[in-house]
Amino acid sequence: MPSTTAILWPMIAQTGLIFAIYFLMMRRRFGAVRAGTAKARDYVIPTIEPEPSATVARSLINQFELPVLFYVVCILLHVTSGATYLAQAIAWLFVVSRVAHALVHVTSNRLMLRQRLFSAGFILVFILWVLLAIHIA
């Protein structure tokens, strides 16, 4: 795999996680309607949503917060030829932290564990931005 495009693979993996969460949310919402714990119209403006699908919906929202900074820094590292092996490894660690965060969010939803996983991802993205700043300085 050429190092010039290797930084794109963690971005593709992160996007795959988003699609997986979308599918899980659809499955849980359809399941709630079938089980009678929600009505289809409850999802027009989902202010009240059954917990199993609400946690997935919130997890999905999380995938469009911190990961946006991840996508931008990866693209910038690629464009500026700063996607070193270190940057690639950190990018993969970020994706692992997001997968773990999402798994906790949609299963046990243990807040302290989720917070630690979020913090790990936050630090990893911060490091990527520092690497970019050093590279372009």
Side-chain angles (χ1 to χ4, degrees):
M1 167 174 15
S3 62
T4 59
T5 59
I7 196 74
L8 302 178
W9 286 107
M11 294 172 57
I12 292 167
Q14 176 63 32
T15 302
L17 173 62
I18 292 170
F19 283 116
I21 294 170
Y22 266 118
F23 286 120
L24 181 61
M25 184 175 67
M26 287 187 295
R27 184 173 174 218
R28 288 197 180 172
R29 284 183 171 178
F30 286 132
V33 171
R34 277 193 303 271
T37 57
K39 294 181 175 82
R41 69 175 173 259
D42 293 343
Y43 299 109
V44 174
I45 301 176
T47 55
I48 300 173
E49 184 166 348
E51 186 176 338
S53 58
T55 56
V56 178
R58 183 64 190 133
S59 183
L60 182 61
I61 291 167
N62 285 176
Q63 301 309 318
F64 293 96
E65 294 172 349
L66 183 60
V68 170
L69 295 174
F70 169 73
Y71 290 126
V72 172
V73 76
C74 286
I75 291 168
L76 290 172
L77 285 165
H78 174 69
V79 169
T80 63
S81 300
T84 64
Y85 289 118
L86 176 61
Q88 293 168 36
I90 293 169
W92 276 114
L93 287 172
F94 173 79
V95 172
V96 169
S97 77
R98 295 308 298 169
V99 169
H101 181 269
L103 285 172
V104 169
H105 208 169
V106 302
T107 57
S108 69
N109 202 18
R110 291 179 43 210
L111 183 60
M112 291 307 294
L113 180 55
R114 248 181 50 217
Q115 188 274 330
R116 287 184 187 114
L117 291 165
F118 174 84
S119 295
F122 177 85
I123 291 166
L124 291 164
V125 167
F126 178 78
I127 292 169
L128 285 172
W129 279 97
V130 169
L131 290 176
L132 174 65
I134 291 168
H135 172 68
I136 64 172

